[in-house]
Amino acid sequence: MAKKKNKKLTPTQQQYQRLAADIEPKRPVAANCLKAFLSGGLICLLGECIRQAFVHFGGFSDKDAAGPMAAVLVIASVLLTSFGVYDKIAQWAGAGTAVPITGFANSMASSAIEHRPEGLVLGVAAGMFQLAGSVIVFGTVAAFIIGIIYAIFVPGYAGGH
């Protein structure tokens, strides 16, 4: 990591920054990236296996199997979070468990569990949607903007198939 030099710092502050940088533990970036890649990939592989099971054993089409597959992953994530297992996996895997849909379900369930003592409405519901609110708003705004772009620039597209 490149060191920033700030000329406004006193010599004592500069000495402290050098000392802190020297004793700060080095982060194993390559190993962390590999763990995130493998764990995120395994979650996605599990999702694809579940989707294929819905197609082959449940009679779903390829397109229609995606919804139930996502629901199974969300339910599994919430259950693993409730039993404290997901957090242990996430400590090892890092960002690999935060990116897929399971990471969002984990964050929602964790927030609900954390705010449970405050009551159902002001605790669980408010806590969950404080976290999810920004994600929901971003998704809604992004979908609106993309819809407008499609309506303007894609010939014959009027929201239909």
Side-chain angles (χ1 to χ4, degrees), residues 27-88:
R27 292 177 180 87
V29 176
N32 289 346
C33 288
L34 182 62
K35 287 178 186 179
F37 175 77
L38 291 174
S39 59
L42 285 172
I43 291 170
C44 293
L45 177 65
L46 175 64
E48 182 60 21
C49 290
I50 292 168
R51 191 178 74 79
Q52 289 300 320
F54 277 114
V55 169
H56 292 292
F57 303 116
F60 287 81
S61 69
D62 280 338
K63 184 179 178 183
D64 292 340
M69 175 271 302
V72 168
L73 287 176
V74 166
I75 291 167
S77 176
V78 169
L79 288 173
L80 290 173
T81 300
S82 299
F83 293 121
V85 176
Y86 198 93
D87 292 337
K88 289 182 173 126

Side-chain angles (χ1 to χ4, degrees), residues 128-142:
M128 282 189 332
F129 289 105
Q130 273 181 337
L131 175 76
S134 59
V135 175
I136 293 168
V137 168
F138 175 79
T140 304
V141 170

